[in-house]
Amino acid sequence: VLKLCADRGSASVWSRLNAMAPESLFYREAADKLGHYLARADFNAPFALFADLLSAGGRKRIHARLGPEADEAIDEFLNLALAYAQTDTPSLQGFLHWIRSTAAIVKRELGNADVDQVRIMTVHGAKGLQAPIVFLADKPNFDNRSSGLFWIAGAGTELPLWSPRKAADVTLTKDARDDAQRKRREESNRLLYVALTRAEDRLYVCGRLSVRTAPLPGWHEQVAQAFATLPGALQAKLADWPPPDGVATEEGWIGDHFHYTEPQAAEPERAQERPSLAVENVAPPAWARTQVADEPDPPRPLIPSRPSGPEPAVISPIAADQGYRFKRGLLVHRLLELLPAVPPGDRGAAAERYLRRPVHGLDAAAAGEIRDEVLRILDDPDLAPLFGPQSLAEVPVVATLRGPDGRTEVLTGQIDRLLVRERDCIILDYKSNRPAPMQASQVAPAYLRQLAAYKAAITAVYPGKSIACKILWTAGPSLMAIPDSMLGGFAPSA
C-alpha cells in the first residue's frame, strides 16, 4: 500500500494502480477486480454492488485485516445503502455524496459485562453504558478560539456579529466572545460529568504530558483541583509514589496524584418480605375435578386430497419425467373444470389455446395428447351427465367427522366434481394413474379413505339422498364405481 500511494504526486490511486498493474500479479488482479465492479457501478444499485463485493471475498479480507469487529460497521454501511435507495435514485455517485454529508455514528452495544474486551469510545458514545473499570483520557482545553462570528439577540431575531480578533473587540463583541467561551466550557463540563459516572468500581483519570500549556484547565486538572479539597483523598508526588495504602507501584506519572477510595460498607438491598396470604381450607370447585376433554386428534385439519399414508406409484420410480406427471395432472383437472362451460364445438380450440400458453412449457405433441384425453372424457355419452348443468366443479368441503377409531377429525377438502340430483348425489374424483386399475378391489386405500371422508360430509349435507362415489381414470378414460362395502372400513361419521 505504501508503494502504491506514496510519491504519486497529483496522480490518483486508481491511475497509479493501473500503471503498476503490469509490474505485479497482485496489482493486476486488484486492478481487474476493481475494474469489474467499476463497470457495474452504472447499472447496479449501491446496495447490490457492495453486497456482491463483500460476498465475493471482500468481507473475508476485511476480517483478516481488522477482525470480526468490523462486521458492525459493514452491516451499518449496508443498512445506509438500503436507506438511501428508499429515498433517492440509487446511483453510486449520489450515494457517496449522501454518505459524506450524513453524520452516521455506529454505537457498539456490549450488554454482556463478562465479555473479555476493552471498549475504547468517545464520551458521547459511552452515554448510557457502564463498566467496572474506566480510564478517562485527559481533554486539554486548547480550543479557546472562536471563528469570530457571533449571533446576538436582536429585535425579535438573531443578528450576526463579526470580530476577527480580540484586539478588535468592543464591549458588545467581547461579551459575545465570553458567552461563547462559557457555553463551550459548560458543554465540556457536561461531558466530564458523563465520563465520571461511567465507572462502576474504579475510575482512573489520566493526565497529559505536553510542553504546550493549555489556556484553560483540562479534565485532569479540574478533577485534581476538586480532589485537593476532598476529605480523605491521598496526595503523592512522584518521589513518594505509591501512597502508603499498599497501591502497586506505577511508572510514568508526572505531577500531583490523588488516590481516593470509598469503602463499600453499605448493606446490599434486599427484596422486602411480603406477608404470606392466609390459606382458606375450602373444597375445590367442581371444574377442578372435571376431566378435561381430549384435544382433537389430529390437531391439523384432515385434507383427504393429501393423504398421510403412502400413495400408489403412478409412474415407474426410475422414470426421469422432471415432474411432468404432476403438471399433466393439474392441467387435466383444470380443463375438466373449465371446458364443460364452453360450447362443445369450441372446446378443442379453447383447450389448445390454454395448453399452448408459454407458462406451461408444453410442445405441440404434449399439448395435443392432453387435449385429446380431456375431449374424449367430455365427449363420452356415459360421462356426459357428470359434466352437465346440474354438476358442480371443485366443490369445497369443510366438516367435523369422527373416524372409525373414535378420533375426531376436521375435514377440509375439495371435491373434483359433484352431481346433485333429486334423489341422489354422485361424488366424482379424478385420478391420472397410468396404468389405471382394472377392478375396484385394486384401488389404493388412500383413495378409498379420501372418498369415504367426502361421502360422510356430503351425507350430512343431503341426509335424504343416496350418495355414490366414483373415480374417473383420465387415461382411457374409464369410470369406476366404488361400492359402499369397500368404503365402510374407512367411513367416518359426521
Side-chain angles (χ1 to χ4, degrees):
V1 176
L2 182 61
K3 183 179 179 181
L4 181 66
C5 297
D7 299 330
R8 55 186 171 88
S10 60
S12 65
V13 177
W14 173 243
S15 61
R16 183 70 176 272
L17 177 61
N18 283 277
M20 298 176 62
E23 303 177 7
S24 169
L25 177 62
F26 173 79
Y27 291 131
R28 184 164 62 252
E29 290 180 349
D32 292 342
K33 182 174 288 292
L34 292 177
H36 166 72
Y37 285 102
L38 184 62
R40 294 176 49 187
D42 294 333
F43 303 95
N44 295 112
F47 175 80
L49 184 68
F50 289 114
D52 181 68
L53 178 61
L54 290 169
S55 62
R59 187 183 290 265
K60 184 177 180 180
R61 291 186 176 91
I62 295 176
H63 282 184
R65 180 80 175 179
L66 302 176
E69 295 84 2
D71 278 338
E72 291 174 318
I74 295 173
D75 295 339
E76 183 62 24
F77 178 79
L78 293 177
N79 290 336
L80 290 175
L82 278 178
Y84 173 76
Q86 294 176 357
T87 56
D88 297 87
T89 302
S91 66
L92 183 59
Q93 289 182 335
F95 173 65
L96 294 178
H97 172 75
W98 177 79
I99 202 170
R100 287 192 184 102
S101 59
T102 302
I105 298 177
V106 180
K107 182 176 179 180
R108 297 188 64 192
E109 299 289 350
L110 298 180
N112 187 0
D114 298 331
V115 176
D116 189 16
Q117 294 181 354
V118 175
R119 289 178 285 183
I120 301 177
M121 51 203 325
T122 64
V123 179
H124 283 287
K127 288 182 179 179
L129 301 178
Q130 281 190 320
I133 301 176
V134 172
F135 288 86
L136 176 59
D138 194 13
K139 176 185 177 295
N141 287 322
F142 288 118
D143 187 13
N144 192 32
R145 297 172 299 176
S146 63
S147 62
L149 181 64
F150 309 102
W151 293 87
I152 61 173
T157 183
E158 286 189 337
L159 299 175
L161 189 64
W162 183 67
S163 177
R165 56 187 181 275
K166 288 184 177 180
D169 278 347
V170 295
T171 303
L172 192 60
T173 57
K174 182 179 181 301
D175 293 342
R177 191 183 301 275
D178 293 341
D179 184 63
Q181 181 176 333
R182 178 184 57 80
K183 291 180 179 179
R184 289 195 299 271
R185 187 163 54 248
E186 290 176 353
E187 175 63 19
S188 177
N189 290 338
R190 282 192 288 268
L191 288 176
L192 175 60
Y193 171 78
V194 172
L196 294 176
T197 54
R198 298 309 94 201
E200 296 176 353
D201 297 325
R202 289 192 178 191
L203 172 66
Y204 294 89
V205 183
C206 303
R208 70 181 186 276
L209 179 61
S210 176
V211 296
R212 181 182 176 188
T213 303
L216 297 175
W219 284 354
H220 179 271
E221 295 171 286
Q222 290 178 266
V223 174
Q225 293 171 5
F227 266 59
T229 61
L230 187 65
L234 299 177
Q235 182 176 5
K237 295 289 185 179
L238 183 61
D240 57 354
W241 186 264
D245 62 347
V247 178
T249 302
E250 300 287 344
E251 296 181 359
W253 293 83
I254 305 297
D256 295 336
H257 309 284
F258 294 89
H259 179 246
Y260 180 77
T261 61
E262 180 69 30
Q264 298 182 0
E267 290 291 330
E269 296 182 0
R270 293 183 173 86
Q272 298 181 355
E273 297 183 0
R274 297 180 180 180
S276 57
L277 299 177
V279 179
E280 298 181 5
N281 188 13
V282 296
W287 57 262
R289 299 188 298 269
T290 303
Q291 182 69 26
V292 179
D294 295 335
E295 293 286 340
D297 186 18
R300 292 184 302 174
L302 172 65
I303 305 177
S305 59
R306 301 177 187 174
S308 56
E311 292 190 74
V314 296
I315 198 168
S316 172
I318 62 174
D321 68 342
Q322 301 295 326
Y324 173 72
R325 62 187 178 94
F326 297 106
K327 179 195 296 186
R328 183 184 179 282
L330 293 175
L331 292 175
V332 169
H333 275 62
R334 185 62 172 166
L335 289 176
L336 289 177
E337 175 189 356
L338 299 176
L339 289 183
V342 178
D346 300 333
R347 290 174 179 174
E352 184 71 20
R353 288 195 303 271
Y354 177 78
L355 294 173
R356 293 310 302 272
R357 290 179 178 177
V359 68
H360 300 317
L362 299 176
D363 55 22
E369 186 268 336
I370 297 176
R371 178 203 59 206
D372 295 342
E373 179 175 323
V374 174
L375 292 180
R376 282 196 302 269
I377 295 173
L378 298 179
D379 294 341
D380 192 319
D382 296 333
L383 302 177
L386 297 174
F387 297 93
Q390 293 180 299
S391 63
L392 302 173
E394 303 297 330
V395 180
V397 179
V398 178
T400 301
L401 308 176
R402 186 172 296 276
D405 55 357
R407 296 189 305 172
T408 300
E409 297 178 334
V410 179
L411 165 70
T412 174
Q414 194 161 280
I415 300 175
D416 292 337
R417 202 83 185 179
L418 178 64
L419 175 61
V420 180
R421 294 185 290 199
E422 183 177 356
R423 296 184 178 181
D424 66 341
C425 296
I426 297 178
I427 298 174
L428 184 63
D429 194 56
Y430 308 146
K431 299 299 178 186
S432 55
N433 298 44
R434 289 187 173 186
M438 302 299 294
Q439 300 177 359
S441 58
Q442 299 174 346
V443 176
Y447 297 163
L448 299 178
R449 188 179 297 108
Q450 175 184 356
L451 289 174
Y454 286 156
K455 181 179 179 181
I458 297 301
T459 300
V461 178
Y462 301 104
K465 298 182 180 182
S466 62
I467 310 297
C469 295
K470 298 184 179 183
I471 295 179
L472 175 62
W473 305 101
T474 60
S478 62
L479 184 65
M480 179 180 291
I482 306 300
D484 293 343
S485 58
M486 295 184 60
L487 302 177
F490 304 97
S493 58

